[in-house]
Amino acid sequence: DIHMTQSPSSLSASVGDTVTITCRASQTISNYLNWYQQKPGKAPKLLIYAASSLQSGVPSRFSGSGSGTDFTLTISSLQPEDIATYYCQQSFITPRTFGQGTKVEI
Amino acid sequence: QVQLQESGAGLVKPSETLSLTCAVSGGSISSYYWSWIRQPPGKGLEWIGYINYSGRTNYNPSLKSRVTVSVDTSKDQFSLKLSSVTAADTAVYYCARSSVVLRRAFDSWGQGTLVTVSS
């Protein structure tokens, strides 16, 4: 299995800050890396697919980068509604695997 | 806009079989892969397995011996059976859609259903 490691596990930031979350794969996954946002009691929501492609309807303050084993999710100008847990996920091979999550607080 | 809705028993006894169904509406079940994903309370996400419209399946090896996913294209729904459940199988179970177009990302999710394993 490909192991996905996110850092940090949690962070606290202020409204308007730029937030960066990193995700590392245990082996190369090309750009088969996706990012999800999950709010309490809700299903995850796709933000970024293929490492850097913004899903339709997602605000442009969300962006992704990376290839191979190292990836980054950036939230520019953090908003109160961005409070959530963020997960990376590889879709390179099965079994599909997720990072452990990064909880973003204000 | 496709919508997914899970249904099934919310309480299952240990050693019995968990059964869930995901109804797909607002879109075709063809040309996509349909997955089950679970999340134990307060924990992270675990992919269980997928099926496509033609019935091809792929399961997480950690659960493969206990999992069966099937599809009913006439009803636009797919199902999960997980046998010999224990308390460790207590989780919110989600159904989700993925496609090659979006690099196999899960772009649509059901709201999730909590399944508790307890006697």
Side-chain angles (χ1 to χ4, degrees):
Chain A
D1 297 9
I2 296 178
H3 187 66
M4 308 299 293
T5 304
Q6 287 182 234
S7 61
S9 296
S10 66
L11 66 90
S12 181
S14 300
V15 172
D17 283 354
T18 293
V19 168
T20 300
I21 299 169
T22 64
C23 178
R24 174 165 288 177
S26 60
Q27 63 188 74
T28 184
I29 56 172
S30 183
N31 68 339
Y32 285 81
L33 190 283
N34 313 302
W35 290 98
Y36 302 86
Q37 175 194 66
Q38 186 178 35
K39 297 183 179 181
K42 299 295 187 182
K45 172 188 173 183
L46 178 64
L47 299 177
I48 302 285
Y49 65 94
S52 60
S53 295
L54 192 67
Q55 172 66 338
S56 176
V58 174
S60 59
R61 63 180 179 273
F62 292 93
S63 64
S65 65
S67 184
T69 61
D70 294 311
F71 303 88
T72 300
L73 173 70
T74 300
I75 311 173
S76 60
S77 188
L78 187 71
Q79 298 300 302
E81 60 266 32
D82 300 334
I83 299 312
T85 298
Y86 293 83
Y87 293 93
C88 63
Q89 176 249 332
Q90 64 82 17
S91 52
F92 185 64
I93 60 170
T94 58
R96 308 290 190 236
T97 48
F98 293 84
Q100 81 278 15
T102 296
K103 188 173 184 179
V104 174
E105 300 173 312
I106 290 186
Chain B
Q1 179 79 0
V2 68
Q3 291 189 320
L4 288 72
Q5 179 68 58
E6 304 92 348
S7 63
L11 180 63
V12 182
K13 290 182 168 57
S15 80
E16 295 189 345
T17 297
L18 176 161
S19 295
L20 297 174
T21 295
C22 181
V24 179
S25 60
S28 172
I29 204 166
S30 300
S31 303
Y32 292 99
Y33 288 80
W34 304 94
S35 284
W36 289 97
I37 296 161
R38 70 180 182 178
Q39 185 172 37
K43 296 188 178 180
L45 298 157
E46 179 181 32
W47 176 76
I48 298 170
Y50 71 58
I51 192 167
N52 73 353
Y53 69 97
S54 67
R56 185 167 80 89
T57 56
N58 191 307
Y59 302 139
N60 193 323
S62 68
L63 298 167
K64 187 174 183 177
S65 64
R66 300 193 291 130
V67 171
T68 302
V69 179
S70 58
V71 65
D72 186 338
T73 54
S74 67
K75 295 182 178 178
D76 283 332
Q77 63 184 37
F78 61 106
S79 300
L80 168 70
K81 291 189 184 299
L82 182 65
S83 64
S84 304
V85 297
T86 69
D89 296 310
T90 293
V92 174
Y93 285 76
Y94 296 100
C95 54
R97 183 184 80 170
S98 63
S99 73
V100 173
V101 172
L102 296 185
R103 274 289 202 271
R104 306 191 284 248
F106 301 115
D107 67 326
S108 294
W109 295 65
Q111 65 185 24
T113 187
L114 175 63
V115 178
T116 301
V117 178
S118 174
S119 56

